């Protein structure tokens, strides 16, 4: 036995390797590049007491540098009400994670049903599934859904203004499903509708994917988009951060057939990269093509309201070649998180969150331009809480980024050597925004050393 906690003997391991046609355990990792392999031992003591373990991880946590976040690009630093954590830990929700047996899964099934109901209202669509892994896979699944609906068409158009990380996952899904993905070019930061019409005229398009707001923070005007897409017998897929749908026109109002995207903005902490929550909603006509779980409400023999899984079109329930997707579970805990957040905030609270965010973003954008260090890349385009600026300073934008980070501020996401995507949410205070403005103004007038020495706005 190689390790006291591993049940496999050396003979067991040898037999498994033989069955796999390998000589040693290292052969299992032969496809992993050497540059990614750890070539040293783990920096761990051979044994530690409970207190030593706690101290060890607290020491690791201290190394994390908390930053005042002005970055967005699809993931947003919104406030998380403390009561959510308390509600999530209640035993009523600790029923079977995979709710195949409704008799013992009513807690899980009910909160998923409530989540679905609220997401349909938020997106303006008729149907929602039980959630998905994250926004990128949700949009990629929406692409496959459009292709499945079109049957003999396997070409999808994606606007150049869609988040690049979504596009990367879309391309990966498309590669292994034989789907052709083409890009609708952008013009002045928005989707070029004239070029889209030309591409649709080919008659082989199954779906079109656009974003609101788009990757640059712009609120695109999609008037007439749905009509043009539907005239070409294709489906319109729209993606948006869930929170902003509380104040802008919804995918349903734009005439979209499918709404899919990331719901992390519904109060979920960034947590250094997850977990996240993908949402997917659609028109009722497409419900049988909708991947993942769907929870429905009914009544039992005694007339009591109960919840069950319905319209299950996953490979666990039907023939594999007839399944709509291999998505076999949803982000259950995160769906509960979103349901509790939306229940607490309500329509009024969600509107207030976005109004505060928008006011802060417009104030910051105006003041950044006044510093002379930045200019808006798309000055004539409307935005909500995120905008793109061009850096005009004599030094490099990366220097501004590095100095701000050293001062405890993440000023945005670099899109190019001189372009910065900046976001403001309701968690950013006026003092934090003014400190950002001061840094930009000081940076444009001072040398790097003097700027780094004066880290406080009051200095």
């Amino acid at each position: 036995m190689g390790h006291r906690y591993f049940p496999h003997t050396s003979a067991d391991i040898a037999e498994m390797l033989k069955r796999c046609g390998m000589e040693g355990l290292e052969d299992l990792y032969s496809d992993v590049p050497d540059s990614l392999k750890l070539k040293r031992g783990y920096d761990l003591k051979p044994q530690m007491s409970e207190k030593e373990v706690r101290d060890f991880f607290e020491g690791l946590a201290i190394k994390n540098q908390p930053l005042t976040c002005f970055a967005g690009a699809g993931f947003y630093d919104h406030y998380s009400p403390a009561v959510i954590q308390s509600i999530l830990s209640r035993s009523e929700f600790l029923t079977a994670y995979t709710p195949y047996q409704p008799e013992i899964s009513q807690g899980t099934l009910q909160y998923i049903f409530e989540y679905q109901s609220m997401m349909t209202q938020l997106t303006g669509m008729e149907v929602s599934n039980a959630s998905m892994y994250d926004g990128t896979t949700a949009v990629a699944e929406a692409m496959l859904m459009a292709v499945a609906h079109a049957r003999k068409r396997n070409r999808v158009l994606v606007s150049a203004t869609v988040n690049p990380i979504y596009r990367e996952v879309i391309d990966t899904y498309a590669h292994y499903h034989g789907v052709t993905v083409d890009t609708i070019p952008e013009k002045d930061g928005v989707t070029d509708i004239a070029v889209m019409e030309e591409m649709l005229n080919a008659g082989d398009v199954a779906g079109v994917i656009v974003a609101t707001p788009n990757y640059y923070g712009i609120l695109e005007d999609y008037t007439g988009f749905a009509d043009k897409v539907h005239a070409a017998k294709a489906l319109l897929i729209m993606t948006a951060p869930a929170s902003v749908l509380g104040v802008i026109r919804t995918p349903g109002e734009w005439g979209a057939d499918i709404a899919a995207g990331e719901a992390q903005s519904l109060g979920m902490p960034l947590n250094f990269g997850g977990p996240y929550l993908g949402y997917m909603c659609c028109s009722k006509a497409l419900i049988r093509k909708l991947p993942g779980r769907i929870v429905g409400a009914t009544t039992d023999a005694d007339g009591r309201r109960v919840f069950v899984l319905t319209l299950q079109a996953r490979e666990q329930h039907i023939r594999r070649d007839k399944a709509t997707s291999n998505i076999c579970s949803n982000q259950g805990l995160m769906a509960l998180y979103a349901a509790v957040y939306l229940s607490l905030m309500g329509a009024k609270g969600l509107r207030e969150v976005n109004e505060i965010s928008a006011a802060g973003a417009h104030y910051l954008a105006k003041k950044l331009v006044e510093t002379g260090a930045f200019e808006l890349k798309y000055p004539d385009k409307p935005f909500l809480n995120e905008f793109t600026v061009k850096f005009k300073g004599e030094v490099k934008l990366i220097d501004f980024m590095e100095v701000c980070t050293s001062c405890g501020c993440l000023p945005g996401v670099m899109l190019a050597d001189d372009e910065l995507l900046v976001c403001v949410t309701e968690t950013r205070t006026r003092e934090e925004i003014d400190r950002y403005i001061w840094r930009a103004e000081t940076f444009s007038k001072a040398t790097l050393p003097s700027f780094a020495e004066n880290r406080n706005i009051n200095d």
Side-chain angles (χ1 to χ4, degrees), residues 68-81:
T68 302
C69 183
F70 287 91
F75 309 98
Y76 304 94
D77 184 25
H78 285 289
Y79 176 68
S80 303

Side-chain angles (χ1 to χ4, degrees), residues 15 67 81 146 180 259 393 440:
E15 179 63 27
L67 301 175
T180 300

Side-chain angles (χ1 to χ4, degrees), residues 113-321:
F113 182 83
E114 301 296 347
Y115 161 84
Q116 290 175 178
S117 301
M118 286 185 278
M119 290 308 300
T120 56
Q121 294 179 36
L122 193 61
T123 60
M125 307 301 290
E126 295 176 303
V127 182
S128 169
N129 69 7
S131 79
M132 308 188 84
Y133 300 136
D134 59 9
T136 58
T137 53
V139 175
E141 289 284 346
M143 170 194 69
L144 298 183
M145 189 174 165
V147 172
H149 175 75
R151 295 184 181 178
K152 295 184 179 180
R153 300 182 181 195
N154 69 337
R155 183 175 175 228
V156 173
L157 308 181
V158 181
S159 172
T161 65
V162 168
N163 194 317
I165 66 171
Y166 282 53
R167 178 58 189 267
E168 289 184 20
V169 177
I170 287 170
D171 288 345
T172 300
Y173 267 59
H175 175 76
Y176 291 100
H177 286 83
V179 178
T180 300
V181 181
D182 290 326
T183 302
I184 307 171
E186 64 177 79
K187 184 177 182 181
D188 298 325
V190 298
T191 309
D192 193 326
I193 189 170
V195 175
M196 182 191 75
E197 287 187 80
E198 294 178 6
M199 299 173 79
L200 286 171
N201 288 336
D204 60 349
V205 176
V208 176
I209 303 176
V210 295
T212 180
N214 69 23
Y215 184 58
Y216 309 116
I218 298 171
L219 292 166
E220 295 195 37
D221 183 359
Y222 290 116
T223 302
F225 262 58
D227 292 337
K228 297 179 187 302
V229 172
H230 294 156
K233 297 182 179 180
L235 298 182
L236 177 61
I237 301 167
M238 191 167 287
T239 181
S243 177
V244 303
L245 296 177
V247 291
I248 67 173
R249 288 186 67 177
T250 66
E253 291 173 316
W254 285 119
D257 301 286
I258 306 172
E262 180 58 59
Q264 176 274 332
S265 57
L266 298 179
M268 296 171 200
L270 292 171
N271 284 332
F272 297 94
Y276 294 138
L277 174 68
Y279 71 85
M280 179 180 280
C281 306
C282 66
S283 62
K284 193 173 182 179
L286 298 171
I287 189 170
R288 292 190 177 277
K289 298 293 183 182
L290 190 63
R293 295 176 172 140
I294 303 173
V295 175
T298 185
T299 55
D300 65 9
D302 296 322
R304 296 174 299 186
R305 190 187 192 207
V306 294
F307 305 91
V308 296
L309 289 179
T310 185
L311 296 176
Q312 300 176 69
R314 293 158 43 224
E315 75 277 9
Q316 288 92 335
H317 308 287
I318 63 176
R319 294 202 308 276
R320 186 178 299 274
D321 60 333

Side-chain angles (χ1 to χ4, degrees), residues 51 64 164:
K51 183 181 184 305
N64 292 328

Side-chain angles (χ1 to χ4, degrees), residues 399-425:
D399 293 329
F400 176 72
M401 293 282 291
E402 291 177 354
V403 173
C404 283
T405 302
S406 70
C407 297
C409 173
L410 183 60
V413 176
M414 283 188 65
L415 303 184
D417 289 342
D418 62 344
E419 293 180 7
L420 189 65
L421 182 62
V422 183
C423 176
V424 178
T425 67

